[in-house]
Amino acid sequence: MSLTPEVAGVVARMREADISFADLGLAEARQFYIDTLAASGGEPVPMGEIVEHELTLNGRSLNARRYRPEGLAEGTAPTLVYFHGGGWVLGDLESHDRVCRQLAQRAGCQLVAVDYRLAPEHCLPTSSDDAIAAYGYLVEHAAEFDIDAQKLAVGGDSAGGHLSAVVALAARDAGWPLALQVLVYPATDLREAARKYPSKGRNANVPPLTAELMAWFGQRSVDVNTDPLDWRVSPILAETLEGTAPALVITAGADVLMDEGVLYAARLADDGVDVDHAHYPGVIHGFIEMQAWLAATGEMMDRIAAAVRRHLAIPG
């Protein structure tokens, strides 16, 4: 896979650094992920208001952070619920703080970032169950979070894209309002057979998400109780995607997850869902977190913002 010149420079720097999450302990890897994304994400965009929340669910609580950009009118607002990436093992509200600020500002909407329990302490489908429960809680308690419940979107990157696809399926089944699902290079197929997707071989040595790191995540995100045929684990295996919210699916050409993102977009379209598939050739996994390094990041964020504005009827 040929890389764009800008991306090639980033990949060269990653290879020169020669640091792998697989060489670190779990706590070190989680902190390294946060530090890396802070460096690649650029200066944090100022917000009009940031509020920390705790979502009290059955038997557990999850942290959430509500972003309101400058200029957003007081009161209920169109809202994007966002789930961070990190292979279901890494990431938290801090790792994706810069991403969330950018998206909130560009879309002119409120954004609620939701944490979820990580593996290996809590293997799949725990994170899926957390995401579903959190979204349902936000719908039920919309007024407490200044959410306009008729103008709700869900989105996330990588593992967060997976969780967003799962939430869209659950929202359809539960009758919860959802106007848009934003799936940024989502993981959609965790079956053993999914290892044979051509993009996983072709891009196996392209950082940051190499085959080695994929194996590291795989060893930690699932256990004997994880059923890869469960739609909460492999949403591409859901009986039908018909009736889920309109989708923006973003894929990157130099990404091991490209094929399953492309196939999920096609499956959505085949099942009658309104799909906008935005593909970025020569771009790597994780580029939503690279605002300081790649022009493609800003272009992609503007694409997301335009979709959010259109589907949530936000002026501008």
Side-chain angles (χ1 to χ4, degrees), residues 173-187:
D173 296 344
W176 295 329
L178 181 62
L180 174 69
Q181 52 179 318
V182 179
L183 314 181
V184 181
Y185 37 78

Side-chain angles (χ1 to χ4, degrees), residues 13 42 71 78 91 94 119 161 177 192 201 221 256:
R13 292 201 301 272
E94 291 304 319
E192 185 75 20
S221 59
V256 290

Side-chain angles (χ1 to χ4, degrees), residues 90-102:
L90 310 174
D92 58 14
L93 299 181
E94 291 304 319
S95 67
H96 283 63
D97 177 71
R98 287 164 172 78
V99 170
C100 293
R101 289 168 182 259
Q102 286 278 352

